[in-house]
Amino acid sequence: MTEETPGFDEKPDVPSGSDDAAETAAPSDQEGGAAPAGDAAKTAGLTAELDQARSALAERTADLQRLQAEYQNYRRRVERDRVTVKEIATATLLAELLPVLDDIGRARDHGELVGGFKSVAESLETGVAKMGLQQFGKEGEPFDPTIHEALMHSYAPDVTETTCVAVLQPGYRIGERTIRPARVAVAEPQPGAGPAPAAKESKESADSAGAAGATDGTEAKDGAADGEESGGPDKG
């Protein structure tokens, strides 16, 4: 028989690397749990930066649109002012030529517009017409205080409203801008020139009725006289 050493218990052999594997596995599990948290924080940061970039882009876009609108308004204002200045300059120049045009008109009315003077006058009138000058004012048109200037006043039985009966000086305009109003003589309806139309018709109706009644009376009287004349011989 084999003698056994008292107090010695045999233990199974355990690989020495098992403890190390367990210790290594524990930190790996901790790292795996921390990785998703880091990705979420990074995503949140990127989202915040994207929102800031979008806000900045919206502000810059609004600024650009505002500047573009201001520039368009500036261009329209400059164009409007340019047209206004041009109209004023043209009106000032043509206003200085109006006395010459008046002299040409008087010469034409008196038959003195002949020869070279006629050619020069026609060339001048053609030039001012190309610049937009228009003449207005005619006899017989209603009086308009916005474009007419009344220099003479009278009454006339043949007008129903204030009417221009004579043009002393024609008016001139450029587009809607009046350079000089037409200077005219006006006539108004004669006060109390005749009865009102309704009263006149009533009077005519009464006269007609009176004439008809008088005719009927005359005919009745003539009939009675005829009866008397015809009845005389019968009684006899």
Side-chain angles (χ1 to χ4, degrees):
M1 295 180 63
T2 304
E3 294 181 2
E4 296 180 358
T5 303
F8 181 78
D9 294 332
E10 293 182 357
K11 295 180 180 181
D13 295 335
V14 178
S16 60
S18 60
D19 295 338
D20 296 337
E23 293 177 358
T24 305
S28 299
D29 295 340
Q30 294 178 358
E31 291 177 0
D39 293 341
K42 186 177 182 180
T43 302
L46 293 176
T47 303
E49 292 179 0
L50 180 60
D51 293 339
Q52 292 179 358
R54 288 176 177 173
S55 300
L57 177 61
E59 292 178 359
R60 300 299 180 270
T61 303
D63 293 341
L64 179 60
Q65 292 175 349
R66 183 169 58 254
L67 290 175
Q68 186 176 6
E70 292 178 356
Y71 177 68
Q72 293 296 335
N73 293 334
Y74 169 76
R75 287 188 59 186
R76 285 193 291 266
R77 185 168 59 254
V78 169
E79 182 66 20
R80 184 173 61 250
D81 293 344
R82 186 182 67 81
V83 173
T84 302
V85 170
K86 181 180 178 181
E87 290 180 353
I88 293 175
T90 303
T92 303
L93 172 62
L94 294 177
E96 297 296 330
L97 295 177
L98 294 185
V100 180
L101 297 176
D102 293 337
D103 293 338
I104 292 174
R106 284 190 290 268
R108 181 179 289 108
D109 294 337
H110 290 83
E112 299 176 356
L113 196 63
V114 295
F117 179 47
K118 179 179 180 181
S119 300
V120 173
E122 291 177 352
S123 299
L124 178 61
E125 291 176 340
T126 302
V128 296
K130 289 181 179 180
M131 297 175 67
L133 185 66
Q134 299 176 355
Q135 180 178 323
F136 65 91
K138 296 180 180 180
E139 296 182 5
E141 64 183 5
F143 176 75
D144 185 355
T146 61
I147 60 174
H148 296 138
E149 181 181 353
L151 300 182
M152 299 177 63
H153 177 270
S154 62
Y155 294 97
D158 57 344
V159 298
T160 57
E161 59 180 346
T162 305
T163 307
C164 301
V165 294
V167 178
L168 306 179
Q169 279 187 335
Y172 291 94
R173 67 163 66 97
I174 298 178
E176 300 298 328
R177 182 189 298 272
T178 300
I179 298 180
R180 186 182 72 184
R183 295 167 180 172
V184 298
V186 299
E188 292 183 353
Q190 186 72 32
K200 186 176 181 180
E201 292 178 358
S202 300
K203 184 178 180 181
E204 291 177 354
S205 300
D207 294 341
S208 300
T215 303
D216 294 341
T218 303
E219 292 177 353
K221 185 176 180 181
D222 293 342
D226 293 341
E228 291 177 357
E229 291 177 357
S230 61
D234 292 341
K235 289 181 180 180

